[in-house]
Amino acid sequence: MKKASGLKRFEFELDGRRRVVKLPAGATVEELLKKIGRSPETMLATIDGRLVAADGRLKGKVVLYRVVSGG
Amino acid sequence: MKCDCGKPAVIEQKYSGKALCSGCFLKSTDNRIRRTLKDNNMLARGDKVVVGHSAGKDSTLALHYLHRLSQKFPIEVVAVTVDEGIKWYRKPSIKVSEKFCKERGIEHHTVSFRELFGFELDDVAGRGPKTPCAYCGVFRRRALNIAALDLKADKVAIAHNLDDEAQVILMNYLRGDIERSARLGPVSKPVRKGFVPRIKPLRAIPERETLAYCLLQGLEIDNAECPYAPLAFRNEIRDLLNNFEEKYPGTKYAIVKGFDRLLPTLQKVYSKRELNACKECGEPCSGRVCKACDYLSTFFQAKKAKRTCTKKAVTFKRPQAKE
């Protein structure tokens, strides 16, 4: 019998590409950033087109934006 | 997290201990820009301001704010995009910039390295001992100054944010170039005729927050990173400062505020030094020849970095009729 890992698939978009990570249910933006090795200092996230803080739950369409140099 | 007003927070400012909702964040950012402009007497009534607009997050915010200000305060705002000749990077952003300006009835011009100096950055990247960014910075500043002179502007607004300022302060210190630091600050004063003063209205806004502002306001930006940016020494400083800021929130502010307290002393010490006129093009410089002419003669075909004047054939696009 297959053991449930307790992890859920989360899809998100970064640099125009769709990616998938596995995180516990109810994961936040901060946990997603940590999983992909990014810092909240250099990333912003929108969920369903709205900017959310790092404690925002990953529910809906998640798009990550890199804070790139050169404005 | 909730904002003090009770609404859900969209951004956390660890350096201030605040979490802000959309409305409060936008208002706070506007207030900080306004204070920067006011405290440093950056603008005067009747000023014509050239805004360097690359369609990135910072310059878009600067242009958006100054354009709105021009509707209440008697200043004129003109956008200028510098085309460095970086394929796949600059061309799309010029289109975004043109569209942004057209939608708001902002006069827009594009000046290119090719027209002004006879080369494109892609052609010369890797040709000399310095990174492409070192050359790009020199010529981009020159291009903006040339455009500002031709447009008879009183000020050039550049969109350096808090991160940019903290980075350059640290870079100068790590290189031991204290004299260069004396020329930093919120407003660059005219060192001689032919140099349009530069203002930095976004100096108090962290880089992350300029992006947040653009996303919240729905401002169309080109968020692509310059392909040469990873090569720059500044990039390493940026990473260093971001790591510090994450561990010790408020570091960037502290660097800039501390520097601002030192600046009057530095300016007193180094103001006595007179600048020369470049033997090739007449631009102000500390040596015999300015950096732009030095690079051009050493690394490229020996074309001179000429200033444009009204006689030279650099044609600007006709201003669009305001609705």
Side-chain angles (χ1 to χ4, degrees), chain A residues 15 30 33 38-46 49-56 63-71, chain B residues 1 9-12 14 54-60 207-208 211-212 215-216 223-225 229 235 238 242 245-246 252:
Chain A
D15 294 335
E30 192 165 9
L33 293 178
R38 302 277 186 167
S39 155
E41 195 61 33
T42 58
M43 301 291 289
L44 288 175
T46 62
R50 290 178 163 200
L51 190 69
V52 294
D55 68 343
V63 179
L64 297 182
Y65 294 87
R66 289 192 300 130
V67 180
V68 299
S69 59
Chain B
M1 277 185 286
V10 299
I11 191 161
E12 195 186 358
K14 287 187 177 166
S54 63
K57 60 190 189 318
D58 304 316
S59 56
T60 297
E207 187 170 53
R208 185 170 164 266
L211 178 60
L215 291 173
L216 286 169
N223 201 36
E225 188 175 34
N235 217 43
R238 188 168 176 262
N242 281 337
E245 185 71 29
E246 202 174 340
K252 293 171 190 171

Side-chain angles (χ1 to χ4, degrees), chain B residues 5-304:
Chain B
C5 69
K7 289 183 185 162
V10 299
I11 191 161
E12 195 186 358
Q13 292 175 334
K14 287 187 177 166
Y15 56 84
S16 67
K18 287 185 183 170
L20 299 172
C21 70
S22 170
C24 292
F25 169 72
L26 292 172
K27 196 175 169 188
S28 152
T29 306
D30 284 344
N31 284 344
R32 278 180 287 168
I33 298 173
R34 184 177 49 80
R35 216 174 311 129
T36 302
L37 286 168
K38 191 179 171 206
D39 291 352
N40 298 285
N41 296 314
M42 286 185 177
L43 294 174
R45 284 179 175 273
D47 268 353
K48 184 172 184 179
V49 185
V50 155
V51 181
H53 188 232
S54 63
K57 60 190 189 318
D58 304 316
S59 56
T60 297
L61 168 52
L63 184 57
H64 169 79
Y65 185 93
L66 290 172
H67 171 62
R68 277 189 310 156
L69 185 66
S70 71
Q71 285 160 353
K72 291 180 270 185
F73 187 71
I75 59 169
E76 192 185 340
V77 172
V78 178
V80 171
T81 302
V82 177
D83 180 3
E84 308 93 339
I86 304 173
K87 240 181 263 180
W88 316 123
Y89 170 67
R90 186 47 74 208
K91 294 280 180 273
S93 67
I94 290 174
K95 287 188 169 48
V96 174
S97 180
E98 286 172 348
K99 187 181 172 225
F100 183 92
C101 292
K102 189 176 178 181
E103 283 169 356
R104 290 156 182 80
I106 300 172
E107 186 181 326
H108 178 262
H109 302 283
T110 304
V111 291
S112 72
F113 278 16
R114 173 67 68 192
E115 280 177 328
L116 292 177
F117 312 118
F119 73 92
E120 291 187 331
L121 203 67
D122 279 346
D123 300 335
V124 302
R127 221 195 261 203
K130 294 183 187 286
T131 62
C133 306
Y135 307 129
C136 184
V138 165
F139 289 105
R140 203 155 21 96
R141 280 189 290 274
R142 179 64 59 84
L144 268 180
N145 197 60
I146 289 170
L149 285 170
D150 281 351
L151 289 165
K152 295 184 176 38
D154 301 291
K155 307 270 165 60
V156 172
I158 53 175
H160 278 197
N161 54 48
L162 179 80
D163 291 52
D164 294 322
E165 282 296 277
Q167 286 159 22
V168 80
I169 289 164
L170 206 56
M171 281 163 64
N172 286 344
Y173 191 75
L174 289 174
R175 286 171 169 157
D177 197 346
I178 306 303
E179 187 180 350
R180 191 188 283 259
S181 286
R183 300 200 289 270
L184 286 178
V187 182
S188 68
K189 292 170 186 155
V191 293
R192 56 181 290 131
K193 199 182 165 192
F195 181 77
V196 182
R198 289 196 294 254
I199 62 172
K200 299 174 188 172
L202 303 189
R203 204 168 174 264
I205 314 297
E207 187 170 53
R208 185 170 164 266
E209 293 183 22
T210 63
L211 178 60
Y213 191 104
C214 290
L215 291 173
L216 286 169
Q217 285 283 43
L219 302 178
E220 192 180 345
I221 59 172
D222 185 339
N223 201 36
E225 188 175 34
C226 175
Y228 296 120
L231 302 172
F233 171 51
R234 183 188 275 269
N235 217 43
E236 294 189 56
I237 303 297
R238 188 168 176 262
D239 290 344
L240 178 82
L241 278 176
N242 281 337
N243 289 337
F244 256 87
E245 185 71 29
E246 202 174 340
K247 273 178 93 171
Y248 310 107
T251 297
K252 293 171 190 171
Y253 262 116
I255 289 173
V256 175
K257 286 296 166 200
F259 173 79
D260 283 348
R261 284 196 282 273
L262 281 172
L263 189 57
T265 308
L266 288 177
Q267 286 172 336
K268 226 186 257 183
V269 169
Y270 289 104
S271 65
K272 291 169 189 149
R273 184 167 173 162
E274 284 183 17
L275 285 175
N276 308 318
C278 172
K279 294 277 179 274
E280 297 288 324
C281 68
E283 291 292 312
C285 65
S286 51
R288 200 183 63 88
V289 167
C290 73
K291 270 275 183 300
C293 289
D294 180 30
Y295 289 156
L296 283 175
S297 64
T298 308
F299 297 112
F300 317 134
Q301 308 268 314
K303 289 182 193 232
K304 295 177 185 181

